[in-house]
Amino acid sequence: MDAKEIVSEYYNSGAYRKPEAMKVYLHDDLIVYWNSSKGYLQLEKSDLLTLAAELQKSYTSSRLDISHIIAEGNNVTVRYNHYVNPIESPNEEMILAHFVVIWEIKDKKFYKGYLMSQVG
């Protein structure tokens, strides 16, 4: 499986919202450099798993609307909007944020991520 197939499988399977499923895709030495509309974060594997668990607790469901997946070698860029249904109003879908991320794949796992996001 090439880098684009790995990234596509990750997003299409919904692993991004399930910490246990997410673990399969994350390299032990993962680092995510995240520039958001609220500031800069640097996350490791455990931080990303914690974030996914918090999102899972806060929203009844979520989905991604992916507009672009572009690959060059072991680097894959994904552009998407993340939609969620809050626990307080599970029938109401709202946009969480707009994302662009460049994933570097190493050993068939997500090794480095360069993420930019803006609240919706």
Side-chain angles (χ1 to χ4, degrees):
M1 196 176 313
D2 69 14
K4 185 175 182 178
E5 292 170 330
I6 292 167
V7 172
S8 295
E9 180 183 89
Y10 169 78
Y11 286 108
N12 291 330
S13 71
Y16 63 89
R17 64 178 176 247
K18 303 171 199 161
E20 286 304 313
M22 184 186 275
K23 285 181 187 178
V24 174
Y25 293 91
L26 304 183
H27 196 283
D28 287 339
D29 297 325
L30 172 78
I31 297 177
V32 176
Y33 306 94
W34 185 356
N35 289 286
S36 77
S37 52
K38 296 189 176 190
Y40 175 77
L41 294 170
Q42 186 170 316
L43 306 174
E44 296 178 352
K45 180 179 180 177
S46 61
D47 300 319
L48 205 56
L49 293 170
T50 299
L51 180 60
E54 289 172 8
L55 287 172
Q56 192 176 40
K57 288 178 188 175
S58 300
Y59 301 103
T60 58
S61 65
S62 70
R63 70 175 180 88
L64 303 182
D65 181 14
I66 298 172
S67 61
H68 296 80
I69 298 181
I70 302 167
E72 183 178 301
N74 289 329
N75 295 303
V76 181
T77 301
V78 185
R79 180 180 178 265
Y80 61 93
N81 296 320
H82 192 160
Y83 295 90
V84 294
N85 295 77
I87 288 176
E88 298 82 11
S89 53
N91 295 324
E92 180 183 330
E93 183 178 73
M94 59 183 264
I95 190 159
L96 181 63
H98 309 281
F99 291 89
V100 175
V101 60
I102 302 168
W103 289 112
E104 180 182 335
I105 304 300
K106 179 179 176 183
D107 303 327
K108 299 192 179 217
K109 295 189 180 230
F110 289 60
Y111 177 61
K112 287 188 181 172
Y114 304 90
L115 177 65
M116 291 179 60
S117 66
Q118 181 176 0
V119 174

